[in-house]
Amino acid sequence: MGEKRPRSFYFLALFFIAYVLFLYGPMFAIYILSFQGPDGGLTFPMNGTSLVWFSRVFSGGGIVDIGAAFKRSLELGLVVMVLTVLFSVSAGMAFRKPFRGATVLFYVAIASLIMPSIITSLGIGLEFRLLDDFVNSLGVEGWTTGMGLFSSGLGAHLTWTLPFGLLIMFAIFNRFDGRLEEAARDLGATPWQTFRYVVLPIILPSVVGIGLFGFTLSWDELARSSQAIGSVNTLPLELQGLTTTVTKPDIYALGTLTSAVSFLVIFTALIVILVLQARQRRHGSDAGKGMV
């Protein structure tokens, strides 16, 4: 017979179940309520089921154009993802060799992690307003503002995603076997060939993870966007504004759609990582292939 569990086990199990319900219960409630019938409200009980609220999300007939905000956030998230990967991998490679000012540069790069997000947003917004005043003082015709989705908004999001990407690359390269690169150079590989055929195949699953971080952090970023995004809003900003004005379940449908995008990106990244890891276990690294 198995050993009888102590009473504390059941207490802790009930506490954990309550914690999970508290954490995920509201999220699942929103998913269910997003399928309310045409005459349904924001609370239970359900008044039929339908997809009408999902169709209204992209109809553009409400207070704001949710479809346009959704597209803006998606485009910004993809750009942030690509730049986060490129800058993080480049910085990770650069920091492998000591150079003057490396320590100061590292702490400057990750300082935004401990800086309050709203302060970072205010600082970026103020910087671009000063830039606008300077350009206007020069008498440039047609100039309105430098703030925008892919200028100040992009910079604000990168201050949040790049430190995570850099720290991931540091963790990867701290356990990277440099002898593999030495062997490639001994075989006559150029620096680019060494990176392409030796380094990149090994770190590729982690690079996919950095891309996942970059997109998901940008996708739902609110505080850093609030003062630096310019004249247009991202989806989280629109969603925040709608929480005080919308009285129909279309806001729940919007939450369900944004969650679906997040889950899609996460599961896609996990599948790619698993495929790459399985490929490496079956065939080993691509090191040396394609150099001759």
Side-chain angles (χ1 to χ4, degrees):
M1 294 181 63
E3 184 179 353
K4 186 178 180 180
R5 297 185 185 277
R7 188 174 300 177
S8 60
F9 170 82
Y10 297 99
F11 172 78
L12 292 175
L14 289 175
F15 179 80
F16 176 74
I17 293 173
Y19 170 75
V20 171
L21 289 176
F22 175 80
L23 189 64
Y24 295 106
M27 182 175 67
F28 286 108
I30 287 176
Y31 297 160
I32 295 172
L33 287 171
S34 65
F35 293 94
Q36 279 270 34
D39 298 323
L42 293 174
T43 58
F44 289 103
M46 296 281 288
N47 189 4
T49 58
S50 71
L51 298 175
V52 64
W53 305 110
F54 290 93
S55 63
R56 287 189 58 178
V57 167
F58 292 99
S59 65
I63 299 174
V64 295
D65 190 349
I66 294 299
F70 191 97
K71 182 180 179 181
R72 285 193 293 267
S73 286
L74 185 62
E75 292 174 348
L76 181 60
L78 292 175
V79 173
V80 170
M81 177 184 69
V82 173
L83 293 180
T84 300
V85 168
L86 292 177
F87 290 156
S88 298
V89 173
S90 300
M93 293 290 292
F95 273 94
R96 295 181 67 191
K97 295 182 179 180
F99 58 89
R100 182 177 299 178
T103 301
V104 174
L105 182 60
F106 168 74
Y107 285 115
V108 169
I110 66 172
S112 61
L113 289 180
I114 60 175
M115 183 72 67
S117 296
I118 189 65
I119 299 299
T120 303
S121 181
L122 285 170
I124 293 176
L126 177 60
E127 179 183 6
F128 274 82
R129 289 185 181 94
L130 293 175
L131 175 64
D132 292 339
D133 293 339
F134 173 74
V135 174
N136 288 327
S137 67
L138 298 178
V140 178
E141 296 183 2
W143 179 269
T144 55
T145 179
M147 296 183 65
L149 190 67
F150 294 104
S151 55
S152 55
L154 177 61
H157 283 214
L158 288 176
T159 63
W160 184 229
T161 61
L162 283 178
F164 285 101
L166 184 59
L167 292 175
I168 292 174
M169 291 310 305
F170 280 2
I172 295 303
F173 282 127
N174 279 341
R175 54 188 176 87
F176 188 86
D177 191 352
R179 293 175 297 180
L180 297 173
E181 295 171 282
E182 294 178 2
R185 288 192 292 267
D186 290 341
L187 292 173
T190 64
W192 167 248
Q193 289 175 323
T194 301
F195 175 79
R196 168 64 182 85
Y197 296 106
V198 179
V199 178
L200 185 59
I202 297 175
I203 68 172
L204 193 55
S206 299
V207 172
V208 174
I210 292 174
L212 172 63
F213 260 107
F215 181 85
T216 55
L217 290 176
S218 172
W219 176 248
D220 64 356
E221 179 55 38
L222 178 64
R224 293 175 190 254
S225 303
S226 59
Q227 305 298 319
I229 207 66
S231 60
V232 296
N233 284 339
T234 57
L235 187 60
L237 291 172
E238 297 286 18
L239 185 59
Q240 183 190 38
L242 288 175
T243 55
T244 59
T245 58
V246 172
T247 58
K248 296 292 183 180
D250 47 358
I251 192 172
Y252 293 156
L254 177 60
T256 301
L257 289 173
T258 55
S259 298
V261 172
S262 298
F263 287 134
L264 177 63
V265 173
I266 291 172
F267 287 129
T268 301
L270 290 176
I271 291 172
V272 171
I273 291 174
L274 291 175
V275 169
L276 291 174
Q277 290 177 340
R279 182 175 179 273
Q280 287 183 351
R281 286 193 296 268
R282 289 195 308 267
H283 305 292
S285 172
D286 286 339
K289 297 180 181 179
M291 293 191 300
V292 179

